[in-house]
Amino acid sequence: MGKSQRTFVKAFAPATVANVGCGFDVLGFAIHGPGDSVSATLSDKAGVRIVSITGEDGKLPYETEKNTAGLSVLSLLKKAGKEHIGIELRIEKKMPLGSGLGSSAASSAAAVAAVNHLLGEPFSQMELLPFAVEGELAASGTPHADNVAAALLGGFVLVKEHNPPDVIPLPSPPELYCVVIHPHIEIQTRRSRQILKKEVLLEKAIRQWANMGALVAGLFREDYSLIGRSLHDEIIEPVRSVMIPGFQGMKKGAMEAGALGCSISGSGPSLFALTRGESDAHRAGEKMGDVLKEIGLEFDLHLSEINRKGAVIEEER
Ligand code: HSE
């Protein structure tokens, strides 16, 4: 295990789009713009303490064992055999909770990236995954790694298994652009998972895994048309979309504006659309925004290339 003289590290992890249409719980990608920062400071007092949470203050627990970032760090320290050390965590939420943009995953990923660097990098970025998944478990009630894998590693990821991690980084075609619209309502991932049907018709499963395989092939081949033809979700979207006001109109608007595909980002309420090039992303964003303006719902728009960096160290001393 490497030695480190650092006493302070601040890391940033980006917002992520999980599922990517047909890849429920197994596909994700990272975007630029929103995300969370977490700083870790060594302390003489043993234990992990959350000393500040800015951004969504009041909504998140300060108890380490109940906080996604805190839990992830506890799990990391246990595996590293460093439970005796003292760490203070400061969490800067720079994206809203319950938005479908992987808010809890960004906190967990930034927290484990910061503490790992503070300890002299005993773990690779990939090895941090199970720790961050512990945090997701607390947030959603079931372990899933599509957001945390993308937040840690950046780019597109395919989560074959989360523990032990078997995550396959996928290529991000250079002209691929993404627009995300976040209507200002909150949907809890836990709730959004509870409403899903536990059984799937075989004929739907067949189309879903055909689309999933074809989407991955499209990414490898930089085949934008194939990406578009594959970005369909026959299983999850029909159930969850009813919770999102204006969903059908926004999707229609994005597709008319030239998007390759459009679906729910993670567990919603955000929607994402993938486009070939930035101008179609602008047009798709405008059309989607028009639908929400019409129904009087406020929103944020994020236009972004695929974020290939994932979690990064912002500051250290
Ligand atoms: N794959 C997860 C879900 C992501 O859709 O429930 C949650 O953000």
Side-chain angles (χ1 to χ4, degrees):
M1 195 176 290
K3 289 238 176 325
S4 162
Q5 300 303 310
R6 298 175 197 99
T7 55
F8 170 91
V9 176
K10 183 172 173 181
F12 171 84
T16 46
V17 171
N19 304 335
V20 201
C22 47
F24 179 66
D25 274 2
V26 299
L27 267 186
F29 66 86
I31 63 169
H32 290 289
D36 289 346
S37 294
V38 176
S39 65
T41 311
L42 275 185
S43 145
D44 293 336
K45 201 169 146 203
V48 179
R49 280 172 304 284
I50 296 167
V51 295
S52 74
I53 304 174
T54 57
E56 295 280 293
D57 211 2
K59 288 195 191 170
L60 289 172
Y62 275 77
E63 297 97 307
T64 309
E65 293 77 8
K66 291 189 183 156
N67 181 291
T68 54
L71 254 178
S72 304
V73 169
L74 288 175
S75 156
L76 184 160
L77 292 179
K78 189 170 177 203
K79 182 78 177 177
K82 298 266 184 189
E83 286 159 296
H84 56 282
I85 68 169
I87 292 184
E88 290 180 348
L89 295 176
R90 288 174 178 78
I91 302 169
E92 293 170 45
K93 297 290 307 170
K94 294 188 272 191
M95 57 190 291
L97 293 168
S99 58
L101 293 172
S103 180
S104 56
S107 292
S108 294
V112 293
V115 171
N116 189 44
H117 200 67
L118 191 68
L119 299 181
E121 310 246 332
F123 301 107
S124 69
Q125 206 85 331
M126 188 72 91
E127 286 168 342
L128 294 176
L129 192 64
F131 313 134
V133 171
E134 286 278 313
E136 280 292 66
L137 180 59
S140 72
T142 36
H144 57 89
D146 41 359
N147 288 113
V148 280
L152 273 170
L153 305 172
F156 277 86
V157 291
L158 169 62
V159 181
K160 192 174 174 310
E161 294 287 343
H162 68 267
N163 199 6
D166 190 354
V167 173
I168 301 144
L170 302 172
S172 307
E175 292 173 55
L176 209 55
Y177 226 85
C178 172
V179 56
V180 171
I181 187 160
H182 168 221
H184 287 188
I185 55 168
E186 194 175 319
I187 294 182
Q188 295 297 338
T189 299
R190 191 182 287 267
R191 172 80 192 116
S192 186
R193 294 179 78 86
Q194 278 166 351
I195 62 168
L196 297 176
K197 295 177 188 143
K198 299 287 174 277
E199 282 165 11
V200 173
L201 272 183
L202 183 61
E203 64 197 56
K204 284 194 181 178
I206 292 168
R207 286 198 292 270
Q208 194 90 348
W209 62 57
N211 280 327
M212 167 76 197
L215 177 55
V216 171
L219 293 173
F220 271 98
R221 291 162 59 160
E222 296 182 8
D223 184 336
Y224 298 91
S225 158
L226 182 57
I227 292 169
R229 298 201 309 278
S230 318
L231 223 158
H232 301 291
D233 171 13
E234 300 216 12
I235 296 172
I236 309 295
E237 183 184 295
V239 182
R240 285 179 166 171
S241 57
V242 293
M243 296 191 297
I244 305 172
F247 174 85
Q248 296 301 346
M250 283 192 279
K251 181 164 176 163
K252 186 164 173 273
M255 297 310 290
E256 282 171 3
L260 301 170
C262 172
S263 188
I264 302 170
S265 175
S267 55
S270 294
L271 265 68
F272 77 97
L274 286 177
T275 60
R276 183 173 191 172
E278 191 175 348
S279 51
D280 279 359
H282 275 283
R283 269 197 296 276
E286 251 172 56
K287 289 264 193 182
M288 292 161 111
D290 286 346
V291 173
L292 292 186
K293 280 180 197 156
E294 183 113 356
I295 57 179
L297 188 55
E298 288 189 20
F299 60 92
D300 301 313
L301 263 187
H302 306 286
L303 266 75
S304 169
E305 289 180 328
I306 308 303
N307 174 338
R308 295 170 174 81
K309 289 188 189 152
V312 290
I313 303 303
E314 287 185 305
E315 226 183 298
E316 60 183 291
R317 48 183 185 263

